[in-house]
Amino acid sequence: MPTDCIPFRETHYFSSLICDYLEEKPELQRFYNRFPNLENFEAQIEEKSAFKGLSKSHRHVLASVLEQQYTDVNPSEATLLNISLLKESNTFTVTTGHQLNLFTGPLYFLYKIVSTINLTKELKAKYPDQHFVPVYWMATEDHDFDEINYFNFKGKKIQWNREDGGAVGEFSTYGLDHVFDLYTKELGVGKAADQLRVLFSEAYLKHDNLAAATRYLANALFSDLGLVVIDANQSDLKRAFIPYIEQDILSQISSQEVSKTNALLSDIPETDYNIQVNPRAINLFYLSKNSRERIVFEDECYKVINSSITFTKEEILKEIHEFPERFSPNVIMRPLYQEVILPNLCYIGGGGELAYWLQLKDYFEAVQVPFPILLLRNSVLIKTNQQSKKLDKLNITNRDLFYKRDTFINKRVRSISNIDIDFSSQKTHLQEQFKDMYALAEQTDSSFLGAVKAQERKQIKGLEHLEKRLLKAQKKKLADQVSRMTELKDQLFPNQSLQERAVNFSELYLEFGDQLIPQLVLNLQPLKQEFLILNL
């Protein structure tokens, strides 16, 4: 399929922090371990192999938990083989994580997982003596229900309304039959629409909780590609995390280290980096039925806020050892939990995720856990053949599409107009003339400088006003072409946002059917690190 790539910085949709990271700016190098290129994975494999937490017994526990979690799913031979391979010391993972968004949520859910799958293929070709398993980490312990209870379809919000509370993975799927009824009416008719109906109903109407439904959905979409889906909200897995839970409870090490890193990031000169997350004194929640609340240390005891639960030091240590599953890491500690229980080499995430990962390296070093390679997931703009033909007819380039809508329209009107609407040369000529007037004022009476400057500003503003009026008149004259351009721009950038952040995969599935994911697998190159424009 025809493709094109644009550097992430030139899209204007990614932060300066992420763009500087991709360009390997020296001031950021202390905040990550190794840059994501194929050659650096050799050292990453060696470092992870030496991690004492990856014992043979732990690998067997990991594989056993995964086998148990797949008992109610029909995994492919590739997935079952990958789970079995995790028992071996020469097997490593590449991981991406995502919330349990209803019916995958935004389109980039697919790009995260395909990036992960494709990187394992590249690693296997480079290092044939090792095995590499793609892992999707379900964020089952999150409690931000409002972020996941909907997806956008053909400009409409398909939403699941229910009471909030507790870890979302344990939410009952009760009530999703009403969502299915609403969604199925919007789908229309055809083979692809019927396939989507079956996929939704099999996932959400035949599984009891959101974690099981999401596992089924991800397995149905990617099982043949060997994807392994993990729900880490499990007591046997958390038992391996007990030492780090104790460290955070007793010495609050995560807060200390991440706060130091945040200060270092903020002090980098001539940057506008935003601190993505700020640590709390204790970065753990306490999980109970329908509840996930923060743990705090107050009045010489440990308290679970919004509850009557309190612990002495001895009591909370006893609770950690007897019920580790009740302790849930927040955004600061979740990455550490992942790296402790998985033989992981690389984390693949979006710009916001990588931004907070860059705050964690010193924390990982303090607790002696290898810090993974960080890779920005693939980003994609998908165009249909019909859209591509219309864009070609209007002489609109891929780079033109990434301008904000007003800039895009103004630029295109200037381009196709039969008169020159750009007054830049006139402004330059005017400014040159005023240079002589400034010199004259300085020779006579410097008090006139203010008057000259005011007159210059007035005349420049006059030219800008004329330019805007002329542009407005030309837009009116070229209304038909402006309308067609605007319609195409809005189709590809809904609500002036990236397609991948606003559209659900099912919209494109209606267009491309079961060839959508194979085409993504064929075209996404995770280590290329550019924005992909794909014509399907």
Side-chain angles (χ1 to χ4, degrees), residues 296-405:
V296 297
F297 185 68
E298 294 177 351
D299 304 322
E300 299 303 314
C301 69
Y302 296 92
K303 300 178 180 179
V304 178
I305 64 170
N306 299 319
S307 80
S308 59
I309 302 172
T310 62
F311 300 97
T312 64
K313 176 183 173 181
E314 292 73 20
E315 287 171 341
I316 200 166
L317 291 177
K318 183 173 183 289
E319 185 84 354
I320 291 168
H321 280 267
E322 291 183 356
F323 305 103
E325 68 276 8
R326 294 178 182 175
F327 294 82
S328 176
N330 73 355
V331 66
I332 295 289
M333 289 192 69
R334 190 215 65 79
L336 183 73
Y337 180 39
Q338 170 190 297
E339 296 303 311
V340 166
I341 67 171
L342 291 179
N344 197 50
L345 302 176
C346 176
Y347 183 75
I348 297 180
E353 290 175 282
L354 263 57
Y356 73 71
W357 272 89
L358 289 169
Q359 298 172 228
L360 302 178
K361 180 169 174 281
D362 287 349
Y363 172 39
F364 272 67
E365 289 182 349
V367 296
Q368 299 181 321
V369 175
F371 193 68
I373 290 175
L374 303 178
L375 180 63
L376 185 66
R377 64 167 174 82
N378 284 118
S379 281
V380 188
L381 173 65
I382 295 178
K383 300 186 297 184
T384 65
N385 282 330
Q386 187 179 23
Q387 288 169 335
S388 296
K389 289 176 182 177
K390 288 180 179 179
L391 290 167
D392 289 342
K393 191 173 182 180
L394 291 167
N395 198 29
I396 296 172
T397 69
N398 287 327
R399 278 168 170 74
D400 289 337
L401 288 169
F402 283 86
Y403 288 108
K404 300 301 182 184
R405 186 166 64 180

Side-chain angles (χ1 to χ4, degrees), residues 498-536:
L498 289 176
Q499 178 193 65
E500 62 183 31
R501 298 177 187 172
V503 173
N504 181 259
F505 86 96
S506 58
E507 240 177 275
L508 294 177
Y509 195 92
L510 287 178
E511 182 77 28
F512 305 112
D514 55 13
Q515 286 305 300
L516 175 62
I517 290 176
Q519 285 299 321
L520 293 175
V521 172
L522 186 63
N523 286 283
L524 268 57
Q525 301 177 54
L527 294 176
K528 191 170 184 179
Q529 295 290 265
E530 288 189 308
F531 198 108
L532 176 66
I533 297 95
L534 182 59
N535 299 337
L536 287 183

Side-chain angles (χ1 to χ4, degrees), residues 250-262:
L250 299 179
S251 60
Q252 302 173 4
I253 191 169
S254 63
S255 176
Q256 297 168 24
E257 294 299 330
V258 176
S259 294
K260 290 177 190 175
T261 301
N262 288 358

Side-chain angles (χ1 to χ4, degrees), residues 136-165:
Y136 160 42
W137 179 290
M138 295 194 296
T140 55
E141 295 179 52
D142 279 5
H143 59 253
D144 296 319
F145 182 60
D146 289 344
E147 293 183 4
I148 68 166
N149 68 341
Y150 70 95
F151 62 95
N152 298 313
F153 183 74
K154 295 184 177 181
K156 295 184 178 181
K157 191 173 184 178
I158 309 296
Q159 186 166 329
W160 178 24
N161 296 311
R162 54 149 288 163
E163 289 186 7
D164 198 355

